[in-house]
Amino acid sequence: MITGKQFAALLMLTTAFTFPGAAFAQDTAPASNPGASMLDDGAENGEEEAYDEPDISVAGGNTIIVTGRVNRDPTRNSSQVISVLSAEEIARTGEGDIAGALGRVTGLSVVGNGRVYVRGLGDRYSLALLNGLPLPSPEPLSRVVPLDIFPTNVVASSLVQKTYSANFPGEFGGGVINLTTRAVPDESFLTISGSLSGDTETTFQNGYSYYGSDTDWTGFDSGARDIPSALQNYFDQSIATGASVGSSPEFDPETLGRLLAPPQLSTLQVIGDQRPNWSAGVTAGTSFDVGSDARLGLVLTGSLSNSLRNRNISRQQAGDSVTTLSRDEQSFVTDNRILANALFAAGLEVGDHTIRWTNLFIRDTVKQASLTDFKIFDGDLDNVDFLEQNTAWYERQLIDTQLVGEFDFDPLSIDVRGGYARTDRRAPFNLNYVYARTNLPEEQDRFGSVYRVDLSGAGQQALQETGVTSSFSDLQEEVWFGGLDLSYQVLDNLSATIGYAYTDTQRTTTRRAFQLRATVDPDFHNPGGEPLDPAVVEQIQNVVLPAVGTRSPALLFNGATFDTFDVTLLEFGSTTPAFDAALEIHAGYGQLQWVPIETLTVQAGVRYESATQSSIPVGANNTAQARTNENDYFLPGLTLTWEPMDDLQVRASGSRTLARPQFRELVSQIYFDPETNRTYVGNTFLDDSELLNVEARAEYYLSRQNKFSIAGFYKKIDNPIEAFRTGAGDITYANAPEATLYGAEVDAQYFLDLYDMGGWFETKQLLFLVNYTYTQSDLSVGDETVIIDQGGNPIERAANTIFVDGSPLVGQSDHLVNFQVGIEDVDRLQQVTVLMSYASERPTFRNLAPLPDTVEKPGVQLDIVARQGVNLFGAEAEFKLEARNLLGTRNQEYYVNSTGLRVEQNTYDVGQSFSAGLSVTF
């Protein structure tokens, strides 16, 4: 473990949580000459300055400390290239979730919903750990758990390591992100917090919603979305026996159809003057002596937030050599996001030994309602107007329990880690209604002037685009993990570490979707059973049924429709209803850390991993192919750290690592992403990617707080996995032959003491932080054979028919810039920080040739965060004000075809957001 064995540093860290800025103020408290804290690096007395290290817990964690230099900040003290966000640094950004805070770290960018990219490499090349142990992901599109579900109040520190060391898992392409949960406090405290926020696109504006249930506002519904037993029985039996709709009386289509579209889930409502967002939380901690040399600490925290977001999204389609669009849609979406979390941690310190038990619960729910109007330009449909309504509910939940023991029997230290985690994603009763208005004169279409659904599915071309669909998806992933690390101080300048780690991940996914249709029911219209008069049939089919199709969504398939018409069900994806996936890894490693001379540290290690990864179709009618990958790897890593002079440190590193396909990428099952309105389908035939990593870095420390670094890096990737759009419009995946990525980073931090200005400035200092990352990547593509998945069958294609030689990797920005400037008080909590970030264009997926890649343009974001500590009725309190995206930067995703036509893919105004918060500590 990186932290000291006593709780002095933890007290400082805990204080930073309950009264942020206090720890920082103590770090920089003036001595006899207040300015000396900024200017003197301790060289005069020949000693390193003391540094309050953030709490970091990782497997074999003591191996990243340079022997004999334990008083420096961990970034400098590490034998690897790391960045550490302490509690104070996280608080300074003002971000509410850890993904946002990590977006300020050199070389990191956040894409989509909390997916963190390291140096332009997608989240498949990143690794997220909690207290050194793996986390399952509740998101089908991501192997790594989305970090926007982690509130900053449960995180004590975040470590980003960009060079590989053998104590970490081998899936280390871009880097590893390790979150350490809050440490044990040294004294009792209670903090109560709350905030209000809003944005210019949503707050006090109109939005959409639907009723759902009385308890939706908590993120837990009251049972309104529970699958009825008859429908669940069909789901189970169709998988187990291959039963289909109508195959037996219990699976009668009308019986099942009545269960698919509850009116409380399908009635869209306009909500005027939408309320502000809110959040509330409570954190408590205490510690007490146990016996003569043990101390037990307890931390409990919980919070609930409820936010609204409007998006008026533009999406379009067009070919490459045309000057007009083939489809144009405008979608107004309101997301109601409810995030609940709870953490309970117990820590026991007995002498030099520490045992911690951490339990984490996070539930992230989105209640989504949208209305989309669109046009299709293909000659026959030019004059038709379409209207699409969606109501949806997405639950993501994480439960994690971990037990970690860190024992120091100098010169032997032992780390024992184990735990269990489970994530769930549930999306029941997602309802889609598509209406069309033909705008034809009455003599051609009796209902041409109104929107309607062709319930029969057999009408004119325009109406065949309409329909009613109800879909259900469910994901469950469980992870059992354990590890043992032994470190021994062989000599004063040589330590050795060996370790073993085991991970067993199991995932189950199901997806079912149905379209409801209605036709004339002869039994209802002629109970006698004799043939109906053809004129009557025509009247019902051409007048009555179309009239029913003009009704609102909740009334389309009500009791009267089922009683009057013959309702049938068309099931989508019945041949790929469910999949199991698994990944079992046995790993062992050995690592040496040697200091041959005082100014040189060598860390070398090798990790062996034996893994079995499988994707198994489930269901009697499942036509997809099973796939099992069994691979063994030796993954070496070497890092040299040289200190040619007291304030200069130079590093060089080389390693081999890998990236396995994500479960989502292997499963031949359709998945709908509500954030981008896209469908994804996996490729069972993907292979592992293998990486060669090289880096060189120089770090110059002007003082304890002021520093500058520059680095260069290079990566060669064999079989990189890239996303591309198929001719059917779905996003799928394939292995490109090879890719390279290289670039440079510059990072600077400077604090300027204002003591000499006197007066109000006497206790103030200016803060300047800036980092810049330049990255280039290139696909190397020829006529090599790649395998794509087509209906579960392998299809060979030439690589250059899917990828373009020289294209950048998906998700890679050429330029990433983060800049912070602030003024803060060194004696008390008083900070104002201006934060600016910039990311240049990056591809989000490949379009099939000749269309260019779809790109995202993140642009510039400007934020201001102000924090003020006050005494409120005898208690410590913090006021926080935030203003985000002050430049009004839009979310832009598009491609430009060969004629210069810009085709929007997911473009909308984000607006400016503002929040005010208060926390009080007793």
Side-chain angles (χ1 to χ4, degrees), residues 695-716:
E695 175 157 351
R697 182 181 184 90
E699 304 160 356
Y700 183 68
Y701 295 86
L702 289 81
S703 66
R704 185 180 68 81
Q705 291 183 305
N706 303 330
K707 52 191 174 184
F708 172 83
S709 66
I710 185 169
F713 53 88
Y714 170 85
K715 296 178 184 291
K716 177 179 176 291

PDB file of all heavy atoms in Angstrom, residues 695-716:
ATOM      1  N   GLU A 695       7.929   4.271 -24.188  1.00  0.00           N
ATOM      2  CA  GLU A 695       7.742   5.649 -23.717  1.00  0.00           C
ATOM      3  C   GLU A 695       9.030   6.177 -23.125  1.00  0.00           C
ATOM      4  O   GLU A 695       9.791   5.442 -22.490  1.00  0.00           O
ATOM      5  CB  GLU A 695       6.622   5.708 -22.667  1.00  0.00           C
ATOM      6  CG  GLU A 695       6.459   7.083 -22.048  1.00  0.00           C
ATOM      7  CD  GLU A 695       5.076   7.310 -21.467  1.00  0.00           C
ATOM      8  OE1 GLU A 695       4.178   6.462 -21.694  1.00  0.00           O
ATOM      9  OE2 GLU A 695       4.884   8.318 -20.789  1.00  0.00           O
ATOM     10  N   ALA A 696       9.264   7.470 -23.323  1.00  0.00           N
ATOM     11  CA  ALA A 696      10.367   8.187 -22.667  1.00  0.00           C
ATOM     12  C   ALA A 696       9.807   9.478 -22.089  1.00  0.00           C
ATOM     13  O   ALA A 696       8.934  10.108 -22.699  1.00  0.00           O
ATOM     14  CB  ALA A 696      11.488   8.482 -23.655  1.00  0.00           C
ATOM     15  N   ARG A 697      10.335   9.872 -20.935  1.00  0.00           N
ATOM     16  CA  ARG A 697       9.718  11.000 -20.222  1.00  0.00           C
ATOM     17  C   ARG A 697      10.777  11.712 -19.390  1.00  0.00           C
ATOM     18  O   ARG A 697      11.663  11.076 -18.806  1.00  0.00           O
ATOM     19  CB  ARG A 697       8.602  10.469 -19.318  1.00  0.00           C
ATOM     20  CG  ARG A 697       7.832  11.527 -18.550  1.00  0.00           C
ATOM     21  CD  ARG A 697       6.777  10.823 -17.685  1.00  0.00           C
ATOM     22  NE  ARG A 697       5.921  11.747 -16.985  1.00  0.00           N
ATOM     23  CZ  ARG A 697       4.787  12.209 -17.474  1.00  0.00           C
ATOM     24  NH1 ARG A 697       4.371  11.825 -18.666  1.00  0.00           N
ATOM     25  NH2 ARG A 697       4.045  13.050 -16.785  1.00  0.00           N
ATOM     26  N   ALA A 698      10.675  13.039 -19.316  1.00  0.00           N
ATOM     27  CA  ALA A 698      11.536  13.843 -18.453  1.00  0.00           C
ATOM     28  C   ALA A 698      10.649  14.713 -17.568  1.00  0.00           C
ATOM     29  O   ALA A 698       9.677  15.320 -18.044  1.00  0.00           O
ATOM     30  CB  ALA A 698      12.465  14.726 -19.277  1.00  0.00           C
ATOM     31  N   GLU A 699      10.992  14.764 -16.278  1.00  0.00           N
ATOM     32  CA  GLU A 699      10.215  15.532 -15.302  1.00  0.00           C
ATOM     33  C   GLU A 699      11.155  16.461 -14.545  1.00  0.00           C
ATOM     34  O   GLU A 699      12.176  16.023 -14.018  1.00  0.00           O
ATOM     35  CB  GLU A 699       9.520  14.583 -14.314  1.00  0.00           C
ATOM     36  CG  GLU A 699       8.638  13.534 -14.980  1.00  0.00           C
ATOM     37  CD  GLU A 699       8.364  12.347 -14.067  1.00  0.00           C
ATOM     38  OE1 GLU A 699       8.933  12.332 -12.952  1.00  0.00           O
ATOM     39  OE2 GLU A 699       7.607  11.450 -14.457  1.00  0.00           O
ATOM     40  N   TYR A 700      10.784  17.725 -14.500  1.00  0.00           N
ATOM     41  CA  TYR A 700      11.606  18.704 -13.794  1.00  0.00           C
ATOM     42  C   TYR A 700      10.767  19.324 -12.681  1.00  0.00           C
ATOM     43  O   TYR A 700       9.650  19.791 -12.903  1.00  0.00           O
ATOM     44  CB  TYR A 700      12.108  19.792 -14.742  1.00  0.00           C
ATOM     45  CG  TYR A 700      13.024  20.786 -14.080  1.00  0.00           C
ATOM     46  CD1 TYR A 700      14.287  20.402 -13.642  1.00  0.00           C
ATOM     47  CD2 TYR A 700      12.628  22.103 -13.889  1.00  0.00           C
ATOM     48  CE1 TYR A 700      15.128  21.301 -13.021  1.00  0.00           C
ATOM     49  CE2 TYR A 700      13.468  23.014 -13.265  1.00  0.00           C
ATOM     50  CZ  TYR A 700      14.723  22.615 -12.830  1.00  0.00           C
ATOM     51  OH  TYR A 700      15.556  23.502 -12.209  1.00  0.00           O
ATOM     52  N   TYR A 701      11.314  19.292 -11.462  1.00  0.00           N
ATOM     53  CA  TYR A 701      10.594  19.762 -10.281  1.00  0.00           C
ATOM     54  C   TYR A 701      11.256  21.042  -9.785  1.00  0.00           C
ATOM     55  O   TYR A 701      12.360  21.007  -9.228  1.00  0.00           O
ATOM     56  CB  TYR A 701      10.602  18.690  -9.204  1.00  0.00           C
ATOM     57  CG  TYR A 701       9.840  17.451  -9.628  1.00  0.00           C
ATOM     58  CD1 TYR A 701      10.467  16.451 -10.369  1.00  0.00           C
ATOM     59  CD2 TYR A 701       8.498  17.306  -9.311  1.00  0.00           C
ATOM     60  CE1 TYR A 701       9.753  15.321 -10.772  1.00  0.00           C
ATOM     61  CE2 TYR A 701       7.789  16.184  -9.722  1.00  0.00           C
ATOM     62  CZ  TYR A 701       8.419  15.203 -10.445  1.00  0.00           C
ATOM     63  OH  TYR A 701       7.720  14.100 -10.860  1.00  0.00           O
ATOM     64  N   LEU A 702      10.578  22.166  -9.972  1.00  0.00           N
ATOM     65  CA  LEU A 702      11.107  23.435  -9.489  1.00  0.00           C
ATOM     66  C   LEU A 702      11.000  23.511  -7.972  1.00  0.00           C
ATOM     67  O   LEU A 702      11.826  24.126  -7.306  1.00  0.00           O
ATOM     68  CB  LEU A 702      10.347  24.603 -10.116  1.00  0.00           C
ATOM     69  CG  LEU A 702      10.590  24.875 -11.610  1.00  0.00           C
ATOM     70  CD1 LEU A 702       9.753  23.931 -12.473  1.00  0.00           C
ATOM     71  CD2 LEU A 702      10.225  26.317 -11.951  1.00  0.00           C
ATOM     72  N   SER A 703       9.914  22.952  -7.424  1.00  0.00           N
ATOM     73  CA  SER A 703       9.692  22.877  -5.990  1.00  0.00           C
ATOM     74  C   SER A 703       8.686  21.766  -5.773  1.00  0.00           C
ATOM     75  O   SER A 703       8.324  21.053  -6.713  1.00  0.00           O
ATOM     76  CB  SER A 703       9.170  24.213  -5.438  1.00  0.00           C
ATOM     77  OG  SER A 703       7.868  24.484  -5.952  1.00  0.00           O
ATOM     78  N   ARG A 704       8.225  21.617  -4.545  1.00  0.00           N
ATOM     79  CA  ARG A 704       7.293  20.532  -4.292  1.00  0.00           C
ATOM     80  C   ARG A 704       6.030  20.665  -5.123  1.00  0.00           C
ATOM     81  O   ARG A 704       5.464  19.691  -5.600  1.00  0.00           O
ATOM     82  CB  ARG A 704       6.927  20.488  -2.806  1.00  0.00           C
ATOM     83  CG  ARG A 704       6.040  19.300  -2.465  1.00  0.00           C
ATOM     84  CD  ARG A 704       5.694  19.277  -0.992  1.00  0.00           C
ATOM     85  NE  ARG A 704       4.838  20.379  -0.613  1.00  0.00           N
ATOM     86  CZ  ARG A 704       3.516  20.384  -0.795  1.00  0.00           C
ATOM     87  NH1 ARG A 704       2.938  19.370  -1.400  1.00  0.00           N
ATOM     88  NH2 ARG A 704       2.797  21.406  -0.395  1.00  0.00           N
ATOM     89  N   GLN A 705       5.552  21.897  -5.323  1.00  0.00           N
ATOM     90  CA  GLN A 705       4.303  22.110  -6.046  1.00  0.00           C
ATOM     91  C   GLN A 705       4.509  22.447  -7.508  1.00  0.00           C
ATOM     92  O   GLN A 705       3.619  22.207  -8.324  1.00  0.00           O
ATOM     93  CB  GLN A 705       3.502  23.237  -5.384  1.00  0.00           C
ATOM     94  CG  GLN A 705       2.954  22.874  -4.015  1.00  0.00           C
ATOM     95  CD  GLN A 705       2.122  24.001  -3.442  1.00  0.00           C
ATOM     96  OE1 GLN A 705       2.598  25.123  -3.328  1.00  0.00           O
ATOM     97  NE2 GLN A 705       0.885  23.706  -3.099  1.00  0.00           N
ATOM     98  N   ASN A 706       5.628  23.009  -7.855  1.00  0.00           N
ATOM     99  CA  ASN A 706       5.844  23.487  -9.213  1.00  0.00           C
ATOM    100  C   ASN A 706       6.670  22.480 -10.000  1.00  0.00           C
ATOM    101  O   ASN A 706       7.771  22.093  -9.592  1.00  0.00           O
ATOM    102  CB  ASN A 706       6.556  24.842  -9.194  1.00  0.00           C
ATOM    103  CG  ASN A 706       5.773  25.868  -8.401  1.00  0.00           C
ATOM    104  OD1 ASN A 706       4.543  25.802  -8.336  1.00  0.00           O
ATOM    105  ND2 ASN A 706       6.479  26.812  -7.783  1.00  0.00           N
ATOM    106  N   LYS A 707       6.133  22.063 -11.154  1.00  0.00           N
ATOM    107  CA  LYS A 707       6.805  21.011 -11.912  1.00  0.00           C
ATOM    108  C   LYS A 707       6.438  21.102 -13.384  1.00  0.00           C
ATOM    109  O   LYS A 707       5.447  21.718 -13.769  1.00  0.00           O
ATOM    110  CB  LYS A 707       6.428  19.635 -11.347  1.00  0.00           C
ATOM    111  CG  LYS A 707       4.932  19.405 -11.217  1.00  0.00           C
ATOM    112  CD  LYS A 707       4.648  18.149 -10.396  1.00  0.00           C
ATOM    113  CE  LYS A 707       3.158  17.974 -10.138  1.00  0.00           C
ATOM    114  NZ  LYS A 707       2.874  16.810  -9.269  1.00  0.00           N
ATOM    115  N   PHE A 708       7.298  20.447 -14.175  1.00  0.00           N
ATOM    116  CA  PHE A 708       7.125  20.442 -15.628  1.00  0.00           C
ATOM    117  C   PHE A 708       7.560  19.076 -16.131  1.00  0.00           C
ATOM    118  O   PHE A 708       8.544  18.499 -15.665  1.00  0.00           O
ATOM    119  CB  PHE A 708       7.977  21.542 -16.271  1.00  0.00           C
ATOM    120  CG  PHE A 708       7.999  21.486 -17.777  1.00  0.00           C
ATOM    121  CD1 PHE A 708       6.984  22.057 -18.527  1.00  0.00           C
ATOM    122  CD2 PHE A 708       9.040  20.852 -18.440  1.00  0.00           C
ATOM    123  CE1 PHE A 708       7.003  21.999 -19.910  1.00  0.00           C
ATOM    124  CE2 PHE A 708       9.070  20.789 -19.828  1.00  0.00           C
ATOM    125  CZ  PHE A 708       8.044  21.367 -20.562  1.00  0.00           C
ATOM    126  N   SER A 709       6.828  18.538 -17.107  1.00  0.00           N
ATOM    127  CA  SER A 709       7.232  17.249 -17.680  1.00  0.00           C
ATOM    128  C   SER A 709       6.932  17.235 -19.164  1.00  0.00           C
ATOM    129  O   SER A 709       6.044  17.946 -19.657  1.00  0.00           O
ATOM    130  CB  SER A 709       6.502  16.090 -16.979  1.00  0.00           C
ATOM    131  OG  SER A 709       5.108  16.142 -17.239  1.00  0.00           O
ATOM    132  N   ILE A 710       7.694  16.422 -19.868  1.00  0.00           N
ATOM    133  CA  ILE A 710       7.491  16.219 -21.300  1.00  0.00           C
ATOM    134  C   ILE A 710       7.737  14.745 -21.583  1.00  0.00           C
ATOM    135  O   ILE A 710       8.620  14.123 -20.992  1.00  0.00           O
ATOM    136  CB  ILE A 710       8.419  17.125 -22.142  1.00  0.00           C
ATOM    137  CG1 ILE A 710       8.088  16.987 -23.633  1.00  0.00           C
ATOM    138  CG2 ILE A 710       9.884  16.836 -21.854  1.00  0.00           C
ATOM    139  CD1 ILE A 710       8.777  18.036 -24.497  1.00  0.00           C
ATOM    140  N   ALA A 711       6.902  14.180 -22.460  1.00  0.00           N
ATOM    141  CA  ALA A 711       7.008  12.749 -22.730  1.00  0.00           C
ATOM    142  C   ALA A 711       6.711  12.472 -24.187  1.00  0.00           C
ATOM    143  O   ALA A 711       5.985  13.224 -24.857  1.00  0.00           O
ATOM    144  CB  ALA A 711       6.029  11.965 -21.840  1.00  0.00           C
ATOM    145  N   GLY A 712       7.273  11.378 -24.677  1.00  0.00           N
ATOM    146  CA  GLY A 712       6.949  10.866 -25.997  1.00  0.00           C
ATOM    147  C   GLY A 712       6.579   9.397 -25.875  1.00  0.00           C
ATOM    148  O   GLY A 712       7.126   8.682 -25.030  1.00  0.00           O
ATOM    149  N   PHE A 713       5.642   8.936 -26.690  1.00  0.00           N
ATOM    150  CA  PHE A 713       5.194   7.550 -26.584  1.00  0.00           C
ATOM    151  C   PHE A 713       4.913   6.978 -27.968  1.00  0.00           C
ATOM    152  O   PHE A 713       4.635   7.704 -28.927  1.00  0.00           O
ATOM    153  CB  PHE A 713       3.950   7.439 -25.696  1.00  0.00           C
ATOM    154  CG  PHE A 713       2.818   8.345 -26.106  1.00  0.00           C
ATOM    155  CD1 PHE A 713       1.858   7.938 -27.037  1.00  0.00           C
ATOM    156  CD2 PHE A 713       2.695   9.619 -25.561  1.00  0.00           C
ATOM    157  CE1 PHE A 713       0.820   8.770 -27.417  1.00  0.00           C
ATOM    158  CE2 PHE A 713       1.651  10.463 -25.938  1.00  0.00           C
ATOM    159  CZ  PHE A 713       0.714  10.035 -26.861  1.00  0.00           C
ATOM    160  N   TYR A 714       4.998   5.657 -28.038  1.00  0.00           N
ATOM    161  CA  TYR A 714       4.773   4.941 -29.294  1.00  0.00           C
ATOM    162  C   TYR A 714       4.123   3.608 -28.970  1.00  0.00           C
ATOM    163  O   TYR A 714       4.506   2.921 -28.023  1.00  0.00           O
ATOM    164  CB  TYR A 714       6.098   4.705 -30.025  1.00  0.00           C
ATOM    165  CG  TYR A 714       5.991   3.768 -31.218  1.00  0.00           C
ATOM    166  CD1 TYR A 714       5.605   4.245 -32.470  1.00  0.00           C
ATOM    167  CD2 TYR A 714       6.264   2.406 -31.072  1.00  0.00           C
ATOM    168  CE1 TYR A 714       5.500   3.382 -33.557  1.00  0.00           C
ATOM    169  CE2 TYR A 714       6.164   1.544 -32.162  1.00  0.00           C
ATOM    170  CZ  TYR A 714       5.781   2.038 -33.395  1.00  0.00           C
ATOM    171  OH  TYR A 714       5.667   1.181 -34.461  1.00  0.00           O
ATOM    172  N   LYS A 715       3.114   3.232 -29.765  1.00  0.00           N
ATOM    173  CA  LYS A 715       2.439   1.953 -29.594  1.00  0.00           C
ATOM    174  C   LYS A 715       2.213   1.318 -30.964  1.00  0.00           C
ATOM    175  O   LYS A 715       1.782   1.993 -31.900  1.00  0.00           O
ATOM    176  CB  LYS A 715       1.095   2.118 -28.879  1.00  0.00           C
ATOM    177  CG  LYS A 715       1.206   2.639 -27.450  1.00  0.00           C
ATOM    178  CD  LYS A 715      -0.154   2.840 -26.813  1.00  0.00           C
ATOM    179  CE  LYS A 715      -0.003   3.440 -25.427  1.00  0.00           C
ATOM    180  NZ  LYS A 715       0.601   2.506 -24.461  1.00  0.00           N
ATOM    181  N   LYS A 716       2.499   0.034 -31.040  1.00  0.00           N
ATOM    182  CA  LYS A 716       2.180  -0.751 -32.224  1.00  0.00           C
ATOM    183  C   LYS A 716       1.141  -1.787 -31.820  1.00  0.00           C
ATOM    184  O   LYS A 716       1.319  -2.511 -30.836  1.00  0.00           O
ATOM    185  CB  LYS A 716       3.437  -1.444 -32.764  1.00  0.00           C
ATOM    186  CG  LYS A 716       3.188  -2.361 -33.960  1.00  0.00           C
ATOM    187  CD  LYS A 716       4.496  -2.973 -34.443  1.00  0.00           C
ATOM    188  CE  LYS A 716       4.276  -3.972 -35.560  1.00  0.00           C
ATOM    189  NZ  LYS A 716       3.587  -5.204 -35.057  1.00  0.00           N
TER     190      LYS A 716
END
